[in-house]
Structure formats: structure tokens, C-alpha cells
């Protein structure tokens, strides 16, 4: 109980609570409902507690790679994203149809090109967009290989009908 009250780390505190409730003969289903953990996790935490006491319950997970860029690099990225469009950097290879708007794929290429960093998850790129003041917009579905002349002719045919 003392370890639970002193703990400031959320996942570790949940483990302390789960093991404490289980150890006081609380019904297992109730412990799972209260803590939101799975039965195998609860049993593993109880084994860890019996073997290593409270030290065995400390969350040892190392976070993802969300801090690969330094704050200075993120500030530089913010400036560059507002200064350039994907079309200016990648030309016809930009992922948005007209190259005016940043996409996750364009950001991924830019971050790798400028800083040599690649994140494992798209969520990290969403976070970078957010930190740089960009909001999420669903892109229009347009084929990159379409020809503007053909599209204009098709639209003209539609208007005639």
C-alpha cells in the first residue's frame, strides 16, 4: 500500500493496485475490471511481486523513438515545413496531388533527408505535425498519373450531356 501511495508512475501504480487487490482476495474479475489489465498480465505481476517484491512491479518499458529529434531540430523542422512546400523539395515525387500540402509520406522523406531520422510509427509523424502547428486534413483521392487535358475533356463531355 505504501508503494502504491508513493508511486507517481501510472503503469507502475496500476500494477501495485492490481497485485494489492488480488492479494486481499478481491475477486479476479473485479481486479481486472478495476485495473483494466488482462488475466495473464495480472498473474505475471503477482509472480514478479512474489519473486522481487515491489521492485518487480516497476514499469521497465522503454518508450518508442518519439525523441529522436532534439528540440532545436524540431524548431528547425517547423521553420522548414512552413517555408517550403513538398513540391519545392520533391518536385513531381511529392505525395499530394498538387504538391502544396504536406503528407505523412512527405514529412517522413523530409525528416530522413534533413536529419537522418526515421520513426517506426506514423503516430510519431502525426505528433511532429502537431508540434509544428499543422492540422490533419484528409487528402483528396486523385491519381498522380492522370492527365489534366484528359480530365478537362471528360468534364467538358459531362457538361454537354
Amino acid at each position: 500500500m505504501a508503494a502504491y501511495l508513493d508511486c507517481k508512475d501510472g503503469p507502475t501504480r496500476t500494477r501495485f493496485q492490481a497485485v494489492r487487490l488480488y492479494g486481499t482476495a478481491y475477486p479476479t474479475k473485479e481486479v481486472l475490471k478495476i485495473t483494466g489489465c488482462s488475466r495473464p498480465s495480472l498473474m505475471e505481476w503477482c509472480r514478479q511481486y512474489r519473486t522481487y517484491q515491489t521492485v518487480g512491479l516497476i514499469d521497465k518499458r522503454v518508450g518508442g523513438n518519439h525523441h529522436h529529434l532534439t528540440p532545436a531540430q524540431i524548431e528547425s523542422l517547423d521553420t522548414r515545413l512552413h517555408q517550403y512546400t513538398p513540391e519545392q523539395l520533391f518536385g513531381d515525387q511529392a505525395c499530394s496531388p498538387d504538391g502544396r500540402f504536406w503528407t505523412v509520406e512527405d514529412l517522413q522523406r523530409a525528416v530522413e533527408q534533413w536529419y537522418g531520422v526515421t520513426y517506426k510509427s506514423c503516430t510519431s509523424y502525426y505528433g511532429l505535425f502537431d508540434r509544428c502547428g499543422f492540422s490533419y486534413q484528409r487528402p483528396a483521392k486523385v491519381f498522380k498519373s492522370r492527365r489534366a487535358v484528359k480530365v478537362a475533356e471528360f468534364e467538358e463531355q459531362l457538361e454537354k450531356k
Side-chain angles (χ1 to χ4, degrees), residues 144-156:
K144 288 177 116 181
S145 62
R146 74 180 193 161
R147 294 188 178 94
V149 174
K150 295 282 187 184
V151 172
E153 289 173 4
F154 176 75
E155 289 174 352
E156 187 177 311

Side-chain angles (χ1 to χ4, degrees), residues 91-102:
D92 292 340
Q93 301 300 315
C95 291
S96 62
D98 56 5
R100 294 184 319 166
F101 303 105
W102 285 97

Side-chain angles (χ1 to χ4, degrees), residues 37-135:
C37 70
S38 65
R39 191 174 198 299
S41 292
L42 176 62
M43 295 299 109
E44 176 60 28
W45 296 341
C46 289
R47 275 190 293 280
Q48 291 293 324
Y49 179 74
R50 282 192 298 274
T51 305
Y52 303 106
Q53 301 302 314
T54 57
V55 176
L57 297 177
I58 295 173
D59 187 17
K60 297 167 190 70
R61 294 178 293 178
V62 178
N65 60 358
H66 60 283
H67 287 295
H68 273 178
L69 294 179
T70 65
Q73 288 173 321
I74 291 174
E75 189 175 320
S76 167
L77 176 67
D78 182 7
T79 303
R80 287 177 166 182
L81 291 179
H82 285 92
Q83 184 177 6
Y84 300 109
T85 64
E87 182 183 36
Q88 291 171 320
L89 294 173
F90 308 122
D92 292 340
Q93 301 300 315
C95 291
S96 62
D98 56 5
R100 294 184 319 166
F101 303 105
W102 285 97
T103 64
V104 170
E105 292 81 11
D106 290 330
L107 178 62
Q108 183 177 7
R109 287 176 54 195
V111 168
E112 188 172 359
Q113 179 180 321
W114 291 332
Y115 307 104
V117 171
T118 304
Y119 290 100
K120 297 175 188 173
S121 168
C122 284
T123 307
S124 298
Y125 293 104
Y126 298 149
L128 283 177
F129 271 137
D130 185 50
R131 290 182 74 179
C132 293
F134 284 81
S135 62

